[in-house]
Amino acid sequence: MTANPLPNPLPNDLIFFERGWLSSNTTLLLGSQPVVIDSGHHVHAQQLIQLIQHSLGSQAPAHLINTHLHSDHCGGNHSIQSHWPGIDIFIPKSIYEATLVWDQHQLSFQATGQNCPRFGANIALSDGQELMLNGRTWQIHNAHGHDADSFVLFAPKERILLSADALWEHGFGVLFDELLSGNGFESQANTLQLINTLNPSWVLPGHGPIFCDVKRSLDKAQARLEHWQKNPSHHSQHAAHVLLKFHLMVKGKVPIVDLLLWAHQVPLLKFIYQTQQEHDSFDGWIMQRLASLSDKKALAGLLAFADRELDDVIHPWMDGCGRFATAVVMWLAVRTQ
């Protein structure tokens, strides 16, 4: 449950599990056919199963709905499906066929260098569709920008919005739609306008706490969007930071050589590097991104550097370049073999 006090309590048949940034939040809709909304990352799947069991007792969830298929929102699907084989899994219609055949080209996991255990889905949801779930009507609204295959759920009577990564209390997720198709800024503007029109009383986001001051959050989101529209390179760099930090959160401590080897296998990181018109090597650019995260205290405990402190390894990259940087990589590779 969220720790922040709300001006009005949520209906008591909704349970909100606020989790970290590696796993998305999960909402549980209680009733005769309990519904799980988003399943988090696969490394936390057993934790989520325990949370669900604690809330439902011997009752099994009937449905699992994914707002979109990023590994932090659907990574627990496989474990949940294995634990409760009768559960129905609902996903966006636009990605349904690709999921059935597990098309790695169309699914996001390969492009972002992430892993998601394969799962089966059996129900596709479309924009404008309405679901009756345990006596409450929920509307499906496409919410593109963060992802081209994403939706939000809205209960119009109570004005409850499950906003996924389209709107958080202090922003929204990386606009992968912009990086992959060039439509993300426009799509996100449309999504923010949609949320403004829906005028929710409660927002249950994909990350962070529940919030009710929706205008304040929309204003912050609009300011972020306008900044990125004027400075698209800032958005691209932010996306690179998010991909790197997410990988580090999954792996825990990672030798720098292993991190660089992984980065070379991530198409989206290579694409961002190419669009930045950098004069440094790809490895040097990755190290610059890590240095920036280090300056923001965002990497504490996440990188292992062969008995050296983080700053002792990262910041020399910022003071030199070219052959020196290559030599450090080679030296580290020898030390870690």
Side-chain angles (χ1 to χ4, degrees):
M1 297 293 289
T2 182
N4 293 347
L6 298 172
N8 298 301
L10 275 175
N12 57 16
D13 60 339
L14 272 69
I15 297 178
F16 180 74
F17 299 124
E18 183 181 347
R19 308 179 82 186
W21 289 93
L22 177 56
S23 280
S24 69
N25 297 330
T26 295
T27 300
L28 185 60
L29 311 182
L30 304 179
S32 60
Q33 293 190 306
V35 182
V36 178
I37 312 293
D38 286 334
S39 64
H41 195 274
H42 70 86
V43 301
H44 294 149
Q46 292 306 312
Q47 178 192 68
L48 179 59
I49 288 172
Q50 291 173 4
L51 288 169
I52 293 171
Q53 289 177 321
H54 179 76
S55 299
L56 298 182
S58 61
Q59 190 179 22
H63 310 305
L64 167 60
I65 299 176
N66 292 124
T67 57
H68 59 295
L69 299 190
H70 288 173
S71 63
D72 59 326
H73 285 256
C74 66
N77 283 21
H78 175 83
S79 293
I80 288 176
Q81 195 167 48
S82 298
H83 193 85
W84 290 292
I87 196 168
D88 290 319
I89 296 186
F90 300 62
I91 64 172
K93 182 178 181 179
S94 54
I95 202 72
Y96 183 75
E97 294 297 330
T99 304
L100 293 184
V101 298
W102 210 248
D103 182 344
Q104 290 289 335
H105 179 71
Q106 192 170 347
L107 296 169
S108 67
F109 315 124
Q110 187 177 63
T112 56
Q114 298 174 13
N115 178 49
C116 178
R118 184 170 180 173
F119 62 87
N122 56 331
I123 299 175
L125 295 177
S126 302
D127 183 45
Q129 191 170 344
E130 289 192 347
L131 300 174
M132 179 61 70
L133 302 173
N134 297 316
R136 179 176 289 113
T137 299
W138 292 90
Q139 301 172 343
I140 304 297
H141 295 277
N142 281 348
H144 300 164
H146 174 66
D147 185 68
D149 305 294
S150 181
F151 58 70
V152 298
L153 294 100
F154 183 64
K157 183 178 179 181
E158 299 86 352
R159 290 166 51 209
I160 302 169
L161 178 70
L162 277 60
S163 65
D165 292 344
L167 182 68
W168 304 330
E169 185 178 21
H170 300 293
F172 49 81
V174 170
L175 301 179
F176 290 103
D177 222 357
E178 180 66 23
L179 298 170
L180 298 173
S181 67
N183 298 324
F185 293 152
E186 180 180 357
S187 296
Q188 181 64 15
N190 292 336
T191 293
L192 294 179
Q193 181 56 52
L194 165 69
I195 294 173
N196 184 62
T197 301
L198 294 175
N199 190 28
S201 296
W202 292 278
V203 176
L204 284 60
H207 298 275
I210 299 173
F211 57 94
C212 295
D213 191 346
V214 183
K215 182 182 185 305
R216 177 171 172 266
S217 295
L218 282 171
D219 288 345
K220 285 186 175 183
Q222 188 62 43
R224 168 179 281 197
L225 178 59
E226 290 174 0
H227 172 75
W228 281 347
Q229 286 175 312
K230 293 175 183 176
N231 305 276
S233 65
H234 291 187
H235 172 256
S236 297
Q237 290 176 20
H238 172 70
H241 290 163
V242 168
L243 290 172
L244 287 166
K245 186 174 181 183
F246 188 86
H247 180 70
L248 292 170
M249 286 193 294
V250 172
K251 295 297 183 180
K253 287 191 174 182
V254 180
I256 187 61
V257 172
D258 290 350
L259 179 65
L260 291 172
L261 289 173
W262 167 82
H264 276 274
Q265 304 303 313
V266 180
L268 195 52
L269 278 175
K270 300 297 286 285
F271 172 77
I272 293 171
Y273 167 72
Q274 292 165 1
T275 61
Q276 294 293 294
Q277 298 180 336
E278 292 283 341
H279 298 294
D280 206 348
S281 67
F282 179 73
D283 287 347
W285 177 74
I286 291 292
M287 295 304 294
Q288 289 180 29
R289 306 281 67 77
L290 293 173
S292 177
L293 287 169
S294 176
D295 289 339
K296 298 173 183 177
K297 308 300 182 185
L299 291 183
L302 292 177
L303 283 173
F305 284 103
D307 299 325
R308 291 190 168 209
E309 292 297 327
L310 181 66
D311 289 346
D312 290 340
V313 176
I314 285 185
H315 286 287
W317 283 75
M318 304 300 293
D319 299 328
C321 60
R323 286 175 295 178
F324 172 72
T326 303
V328 174
V329 173
M330 294 175 64
W331 179 82
L332 284 170
V334 171
R335 283 291 300 270
T336 55
Q337 286 179 350

